[in-house]
Amino acid sequence: MTRTALVVGATGITGSAVARQLVAEGWEVHGLARRPQEQDGVAPVAADLLDAQGAKAALTDIHPDAVFLTTWLRRDSEAENIRVNGAMVRNLLAALPPAHGARHVALVTGLKHYLGPFEAYGKGHLPKTPFREDQGRLDVENFYYAQEDELFAAAERDGFTWSVHRPHTVIGKAVGNAMNMGTTLAVYATICREAGRPFTFPGSAMQWNGLTDMTDARQLARQLVWAATTPAAANEAFNIVNGDVFRWSWMWERIAQWFGIEAAPFDGTVRPLEEQMAHDADIWTDIAARHGLVESDLARLASPWHTDADLGRPIEVVTDMGKSRKLGFTGYEATDEAFFDLFAKLREDRLIP
């Protein structure tokens, strides 16, 4: 029998990758978004999860075997993040009662589970790296915890199994995404090349010199589908990264080489992208016009604030994946190749020249 999936946030970096993975594996896929886009093999579902009644109406005729929750909204405070994102999970799961047949719900959160929310990111007492799932929650308010609590409560009420997935920074394509390091670095490198500016690492000496890891959206998608179809993975939380580690002192050179530019020497000074790119909107508009690009709005491609948060951290971040490995998940992606695949796709789709 064909299995049916509901991908929530289907137009985002993670959601679009999950939808492609499911389609490739023969699932019937419904993609929920506030403003659905055309996606091969995906039936669009338009809904705002902050509208409980609207969400219920939109999902009336959908009976998913598995639900993949990959969306969130950013607000100005963590209290608002908790209120809004908790409500979205609650409204979604209330709109899918047991009679609809959802047997598994997968929730994507991230390493802020260990690093803390935006308001206290990477500060205070943090667990030691590599991060492991059994390290538990920090003693701080965090919208990831609110999302989990809504998931756990609905699972107990309705009888479905769940999984939680915690990627590091995700590499993948999505225009208009709030957290998009890969496209941000591609746009920044393009501006540096076109304007003759130095390609300057924006982050901290710790990130430049220390070990780190990242998550290709395709790797995350494979783990999500694996967990939804593997009984031993039920009711578990999993870290998910590519499986390699690197130093930005090496990766920065690799990215520069792909764009045919030289990486500027790093002297230990933090030079945030928000400052470096603060006046680049008109420059990007000109680049887009000269090269016939399909997106001239810099703000829809680049998210410097998020890249600065990751690359400016004063701590080393490495993630353990032993838990899912022991249960049989063996996916792997080389992170430099993940970046290069993304850059090639952005070029193919005329988002960068």
Side-chain angles (χ1 to χ4, degrees), residues 223-238:
Q223 193 196 59
L224 282 159
V225 179
W226 165 82
T229 55
T230 302
N235 304 329
E236 297 285 353
F238 298 106

Side-chain angles (χ1 to χ4, degrees), residues 56-274:
K56 186 174 182 179
L59 296 171
T60 296
D61 296 324
I62 299 175
H63 306 275
D65 298 297
V67 178
F68 301 89
L69 182 50
T70 72
T71 191
W72 69 288
L73 290 175
R74 188 186 182 203
R75 292 294 185 256
D76 292 336
S77 69
E78 195 60 19
E80 275 298 292
N81 284 335
I82 289 168
R83 183 186 68 81
V84 168
N85 290 285
M88 289 170 63
V89 177
R90 182 168 61 254
N91 292 342
L92 169 71
L93 298 179
L96 294 168
H100 277 214
R103 294 194 289 270
H104 186 85
V105 178
L107 170 66
V108 178
T109 60
L111 293 196
K112 285 188 289 297
H113 183 93
Y114 309 108
L115 288 163
F118 292 118
E119 293 178 358
Y121 189 62
K123 300 176 182 178
H125 179 73
L126 300 174
K128 293 181 179 179
T129 58
F131 295 137
R132 292 180 170 86
E133 296 92 342
D134 61 4
Q135 288 170 319
R137 295 180 175 183
L138 301 174
D139 186 19
V140 62
E141 295 296 310
N142 190 324
F143 82 84
Y144 283 173
Y145 306 160
Q147 288 180 306
E148 287 185 343
D149 289 343
E150 294 290 349
L151 174 67
F152 301 156
E156 183 175 356
R157 178 191 69 215
D158 295 338
F160 58 77
T161 62
W162 55 266
S163 57
V164 174
H165 303 261
R166 299 169 185 159
H168 196 168
T169 303
V170 178
I171 302 169
K173 180 199 164 191
V175 176
N177 192 270
M179 299 195 300
N180 196 339
M181 181 189 286
T183 304
T184 298
L185 293 182
V187 168
Y188 173 60
T190 299
I191 290 172
C192 289
R193 185 186 64 206
E194 297 281 319
R197 283 168 27 187
F199 185 56
T200 302
F201 183 71
S204 68
M206 174 60 77
Q207 294 305 308
W208 181 257
N209 295 311
L211 290 173
T212 193
D213 49 33
M214 292 183 72
T215 308
D216 188 311
R218 298 168 296 186
Q219 170 83 333
L220 174 53
R222 287 192 292 268
Q223 193 196 59
L224 282 159
V225 179
W226 165 82
T229 55
T230 302
N235 304 329
E236 297 285 353
F238 298 106
N239 293 332
I240 174 62
V241 287
N242 287 335
D244 64 348
V245 293
F246 63 92
R247 291 181 172 87
W248 276 103
S249 56
W250 175 80
M251 187 66 75
W252 201 249
E253 291 279 356
R254 296 282 287 159
I255 293 173
Q257 290 169 9
W258 197 92
F259 283 94
I261 57 179
E262 291 188 9
F266 179 66
D267 63 5
T269 303
V270 177
R271 296 181 172 88
L273 283 183
E274 273 202 303

Side-chain angles (χ1 to χ4, degrees), residues 291-322:
H291 292 280
L293 304 182
V294 298
E295 182 54 72
S296 61
D297 184 352
L298 180 64
R300 284 185 47 77
L301 294 174
S303 52
W305 69 271
H306 171 253
T307 299
D308 288 341
D310 275 9
L311 299 185
R313 290 181 300 215
I315 59 172
E316 185 177 83
V317 176
V318 180
T319 316
D320 180 75
M321 276 190 59

